[in-house]
């Protein structure tokens, strides 16, 4: 299962502050609400949470999840908040659960724990998992690279497959969720690549039950600061993109077969 620019929290991408009067935002919100009602849910956040749990069950049973951008941190936040209302009234019609930020169940998440929720609806950020806000102030494109780690194919078959590339240095790129604060990453998570400058994790992986997941920060490896309304990237112009190669690794990974061990 491949996910990209998704918001599993029911906050409509946290676009309220900048785009609440835009026609596309109003129409999208109405479409999400109609879909939730059609599926029997009173709120979009409840529907999204149920979808997140279904995905977790799929991975637990042996499935593989690859997610990018806000489909990564918002997914874990939704799992942690499955029994807690973290949405302000402009998102779901009523207030948050009192003390919602302190009621997260981190045991339900894939990659992150002990994170701080950002509940201000005017703030274009879900939590302190993502480091985009601090990077915007300090990171410059010429210095923005992340480094892929080396793994032993003998002992770490899956990470070895996922970091295959023609270079160990990959150009960074922004997304709503760009990179992950190390302090919020579970010890069970494998970091596949991290920023050369600030040490933020860009590419992470782990197992969940019988399955696997991979999270990749950023929106488009060949569009450094992709913004709402930007045209799609022409993939034909980037046949040797290291950033796209990592996406391809995750597409091909489920087809890989682990050789039988000699006994």
């Amino acid at each position: 299962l491949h996910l990209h620019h998704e918001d599993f929290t029911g906050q409509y991408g946290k676009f309220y502050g900048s785009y609440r009067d835009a026609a596309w935002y109003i129409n999208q919100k109405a479409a999400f609400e109609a879909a939730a009602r059609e599926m029997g849910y009173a709120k979009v956040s409840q529907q999204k949470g149920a979808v997140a749990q279904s995905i977790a069950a799929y991975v637990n049973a042996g499935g593989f999840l690859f997610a990018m951008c806000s489909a990564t941190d918002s997914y874990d936040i939704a799992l942690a908040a499955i029994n807690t209302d973290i949405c302000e009234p402009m998102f779901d019609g009523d207030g948050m659960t009192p003390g919602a930020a302190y009621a997260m169940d981190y045991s339900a998440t894939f990659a992150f724990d002990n994170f701080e929720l950002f509940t201000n609806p005017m703030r274009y950020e879900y939590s302190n998992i993502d480091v985009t806000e601090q990077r915007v102030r300090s990171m410059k494109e010429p210095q923005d690279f992340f480094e892929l780690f080396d793994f032993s194919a003998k002992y770490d078959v899956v990470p070895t497959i996922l970091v295959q590339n023609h270079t160990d240095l990959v150009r960074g790129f922004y997304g709503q969720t760009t990179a992950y604060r190390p302090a919020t990453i579970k010890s069970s998570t494998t970091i596949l690549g991290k920023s050369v400058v600030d040490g933020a994790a860009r590419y992470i992986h782990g197992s969940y039950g019988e399955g696997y997941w991979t999270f990749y920060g950023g929106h488009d490896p060949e569009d450094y600061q992709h913004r709402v309304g930007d045209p799609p990237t022409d993939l034909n112009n980037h046949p040797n993109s290291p950033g796209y190669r990592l996406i391809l690794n995750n597409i091909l990974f489920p087809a890989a077969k682990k050789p039988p061990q000699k006994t």
Side-chain angles (χ1 to χ4, degrees):
L1 175 63
H2 292 189
L3 303 172
H4 201 82
H5 194 78
E6 180 61 86
D7 173 10
F8 285 96
T9 70
Q11 298 176 92
Y12 308 103
K14 292 297 288 280
F15 286 118
Y16 180 81
S18 298
Y19 295 103
R20 60 186 178 276
D21 295 322
W24 68 263
Y25 179 89
I26 295 170
N27 293 335
Q28 187 180 79
K29 183 174 183 291
F32 283 163
E33 290 170 345
R37 288 193 298 269
E38 184 177 344
M39 295 179 66
Y41 295 95
K43 300 179 180 181
V44 172
S45 58
Q46 294 171 346
Q47 179 211 31
K48 297 285 188 179
V51 171
Q53 287 185 307
S54 295
I55 293 172
Y58 159 76
V59 177
N60 185 64
F64 174 58
L65 169 66
F66 172 59
M68 289 186 67
C69 200
S70 60
T72 59
D73 54 345
S74 78
Y75 177 75
D76 259 15
I77 292 169
L79 289 178
I82 204 68
N83 295 313
T84 305
D85 186 343
I86 62 172
C87 296
E88 290 283 22
M90 66 284 296
F91 300 127
D92 68 354
D94 58 25
M96 295 188 302
T97 300
Y102 303 98
M104 298 293 95
D105 178 9
Y106 300 118
S107 68
T109 62
F110 281 21
F112 308 109
D113 64 7
N114 297 318
F115 49 80
E116 176 188 351
L117 283 182
F118 295 155
T119 56
N120 181 354
M122 306 301 289
R123 188 175 186 178
Y124 184 57
E125 187 66 273
Y126 299 102
S127 74
N128 71 333
I129 294 172
D130 180 37
V131 299
T132 298
E133 289 181 338
Q134 71 183 49
R135 285 171 58 89
V136 167
R137 295 190 295 269
S138 61
M139 185 70 71
K140 305 301 180 184
E141 184 174 357
Q143 64 182 158
D144 192 357
F145 286 85
F146 63 96
E147 181 180 17
L148 299 174
F149 293 154
D150 288 327
F151 294 91
S152 168
K154 182 177 180 180
Y155 300 106
D156 299 300
V157 176
V158 175
T160 300
I161 293 172
L162 296 178
V163 298
Q164 287 295 302
N165 218 317
H166 53 276
T167 178
D168 291 333
L169 282 179
V170 182
R171 286 191 176 276
F173 52 98
Y174 278 93
Q176 182 176 10
T177 300
T178 301
Y180 315 113
R181 192 178 308 277
T184 66
I185 298 175
K186 287 186 171 182
S187 60
S188 57
T189 296
T190 299
I191 297 177
L192 303 175
K194 71 175 184 178
S195 171
V196 173
V197 175
D198 60 15
R202 292 297 309 251
Y203 188 39
I204 60 178
H205 171 77
S207 60
Y208 184 81
E210 298 298 317
Y212 297 96
W213 57 267
T214 302
F215 290 171
Y216 187 10
H219 188 86
D220 183 343
E222 296 300 336
D223 186 351
Y224 186 67
Q225 284 188 307
H226 184 86
R227 300 184 185 279
V228 173
D230 282 357
T233 303
D234 185 347
L235 302 186
N236 294 316
N237 294 332
H238 308 281
N240 300 308
S241 166
Y244 287 156
R245 171 59 194 263
L246 297 180
I247 297 174
L248 180 61
N249 289 348
N250 284 274
I251 293 173
L252 298 177
F253 162 67
K257 302 295 184 182
K258 188 174 182 179
Q261 299 292 316
K262 292 183 179 180
T263 58

